[in-house]
């Protein structure tokens, strides 16, 4: 059983550009959450998607947006990249949006903004 | 609002010695608490979680943690360190048992170093 997968593993972008990161949840999971982990910091909650809609959002600007597809996979889009957006972006999935099920994390996408 | 403080960004212990990683939390509602481990170039793996059933929680790989409400602490311990325990450890808090819908609030992490 494949766990949570993310692509690409590494990405280098220039300030002002836009980026799209992808996540496929664990089989049987319908909820996807995204986290940003800056170097030397703990992960920070960006937002959660369930039934193709954003359910909850952390303290992140509108430059961060997402999408969930009918097969439950998800994308994270970041517009107008800043140097401070350089981080490891983690995707986590769970089988329900109720909050009672454990989240499973993917290996992350390392984004470097130059 | 919830927050987590992990005392010590780096902890070094000898192989076979006791591991103690400290975590204090702040929460306006009854907390659900988690410890995750992150190995280099990997995602987070759940070690254990406190969901109000028992204050002493046993997890994978011989780790356990004790919830102390009076001290607002959830310290992680392991009686005997193994070289394979070297990793980054994160304490997290949530208002929900699975930590799902509202997202998890993480501490800054503690890097555990095992000396041979």
């Amino acid at each position: 059983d494949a766990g949570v997968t993310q692509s690409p593993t590494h990405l280098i972008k220039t300030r002002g550009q836009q980026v799209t990161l992808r996540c496929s949840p664990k089989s049987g999971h319908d909820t996807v959450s995204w986290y940003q982990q800056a170097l030397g910091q703990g992960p920070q909650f960006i937002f959660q998607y369930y039934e193709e809609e954003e359910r909850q959002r952390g303290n992140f600007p509108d430059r961060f947006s997402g999408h969930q597809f009918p097969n439950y996979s998800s994308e994270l889009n970041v517009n107008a990249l800043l140097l401070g957006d350089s981080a490891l972006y983690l995707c986590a999935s769970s089988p329900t949006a109720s909050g009672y099920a454990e989240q499973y994390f993917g290996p992350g996408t390392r984004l470097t903004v130059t | 609002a919830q927050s987590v403080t992990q005392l010590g960004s780096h902890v070094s212990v000898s192989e076979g010695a006791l591991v103690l990683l400290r975590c204090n939390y702040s929460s306006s509602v009854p907390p659900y608490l988690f410890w995750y481990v992150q190995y280099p170039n990997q995602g987070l793996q759940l070690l254990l979680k406190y969901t109000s059933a028992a204050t002493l929680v046993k997890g994978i790989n011989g780790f356990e943690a004790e919830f102390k409400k009076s001290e607002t602490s959830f310290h992680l311990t392991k009686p005997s360190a193994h070289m394979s325990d070297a990793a980054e450890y994160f304490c997290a808090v949530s208002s929900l048992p699975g930590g799902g819908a509202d997202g998890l609030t993480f501490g800054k992490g503690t890097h555990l170093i095992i000396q041979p």
Side-chain angles (χ1 to χ4, degrees), chain A residues 8-59:
Chain A
T9 55
H10 295 84
L11 202 52
I12 300 175
K13 289 288 188 178
T14 303
R15 273 181 303 175
Q17 287 187 319
Q18 178 265 344
V19 68
T20 298
L21 311 181
R22 296 176 175 82
C23 171
S24 291
K26 183 177 170 64
S27 178
H29 289 189
D30 58 3
T31 301
V32 173
S33 301
W34 286 92
Y35 290 80
Q36 180 195 66
Q37 185 179 12
L39 197 62
Q41 303 292 318
Q44 283 193 289
F45 176 69
I46 303 175
F47 43 51
Q48 182 184 87
Y49 275 82
Y50 172 67
E51 292 189 336
E52 302 181 47
E53 290 192 357
E54 182 182 300
R55 281 180 53 90
Q56 298 285 345
R57 189 178 185 93
N59 188 25

Side-chain angles (χ1 to χ4, degrees), chain B residues 15-102:
Chain B
E15 189 175 17
L18 171 72
V19 174
L20 171 61
L21 304 183
R22 300 177 187 273
C23 171
N24 288 91
Y25 69 90
S26 173
S27 178
S28 58
V29 297
Y32 297 96
L33 296 157
F34 308 80
W35 275 100
Y36 282 85
V37 61
Q38 186 176 35
Y39 298 101
N41 301 315
Q42 294 188 27
L44 302 174
Q45 180 183 11
L46 181 66
L47 278 176
L48 50 79
K49 61 182 177 181
Y50 166 74
T51 56
S52 75
T55 57
L56 183 62
V57 181
K58 294 187 183 298
I60 62 172
N61 301 338
F63 285 95
E64 63 181 38
E66 185 172 9
F67 172 70
K68 292 187 177 181
K69 184 178 179 180
S70 61
E71 298 177 9
T72 61
S73 68
F74 190 58
H75 301 331
L76 181 70
T77 60
K78 182 174 180 177
S80 178
H82 191 273
M83 295 299 291
S84 61
D85 295 327
E88 193 79 18
Y89 291 79
F90 293 95
C91 182
V93 64
S94 174
S95 59
L96 293 167
D102 291 340

Side-chain angles (χ1 to χ4, degrees), chain A residues 67-85:
Chain A
H67 187 78
Q68 186 178 35
F69 299 92
N71 67 353
Y72 309 124
S73 66
S74 176
E75 289 182 349
L76 165 65
N77 300 293
V78 186
N79 295 321
L81 284 167
L82 304 173
L83 294 179
D85 295 331

